Amino acid sequence: MTLSRFTKEHEWAALESDTATCGITDYAQKALGDIVYVELPPIGKKVRQGEQVAVVESTKAASEVFAPLDGEVIAVNEALASDPGAVNRAAMSEGWFFKLKVSDSGQVSSLMDDSAYARYVQELIK
């Protein structure tokens, strides 16, 4: 079973066992506009929760992408190199950025669930 969690910086993590597939939320991709480039981390990179791990560039701006959890990058979405627009089309599925082998599962409780994230976004757009 997959468990989705969210950060206040608009990253998502879909957790399955000790692996987290990560990317930016639909809200974030809409705010950025047309995505033109994604800089992904190297496989094997160890990251800490809240640390910059990737960069996404749009026609409007460049934005840092932060690690939602501590872990090691075990895969990256190579398809984004030739098709960064996948993030705009399907930010929460096809447009994933990287996968982490999570090293501290206790951190999951610090992230928002679907309903908490939806409330957070509603507060931002008021």
Side-chain angles (χ1 to χ4, degrees):
M1 184 173 113
T2 303
L3 178 71
S4 293
R5 291 291 184 257
F6 303 88
T7 71
K8 287 188 173 184
E9 291 76 32
H10 309 288
E11 290 91 16
W12 59 269
L15 294 124
E16 214 164 322
S17 186
D18 66 346
T19 301
T21 302
C22 307
I24 63 171
T25 65
D26 200 47
Y27 175 86
Q29 70 80 16
K30 284 179 182 163
L32 285 167
D34 292 335
I35 306 290
V36 295
Y37 177 73
V38 177
E39 180 182 309
L40 299 169
I43 291 174
K45 178 179 175 79
K46 290 185 178 7
V47 297
R48 308 268 317 151
Q49 185 178 43
E51 174 184 311
Q52 179 189 333
V53 66
V55 176
V56 59
E57 293 181 17
S58 71
T59 54
K60 292 182 188 177
S63 184
E64 297 172 337
V65 178
F66 303 99
L69 300 160
D70 287 0
E72 180 179 343
V73 177
I74 57 170
V76 295
N77 189 350
E78 300 284 355
L80 295 181
S82 60
D83 185 17
V87 178
N88 293 118
R89 289 192 308 275
M92 305 274 303
S93 57
E94 167 193 2
W96 64 276
F97 284 36
F98 54 89
K99 293 186 181 196
L100 292 176
K101 180 168 181 57
V102 178
S103 58
D104 183 356
S105 60
Q107 292 176 330
V108 172
S109 64
S110 70
L111 303 177
M112 293 177 275
D113 64 15
D114 290 317
S115 59
Y117 183 70
R119 286 191 305 274
Y120 175 68
V121 169
Q122 283 304 311
E123 288 297 314
L124 294 177
I125 58 178
K126 280 186 178 177

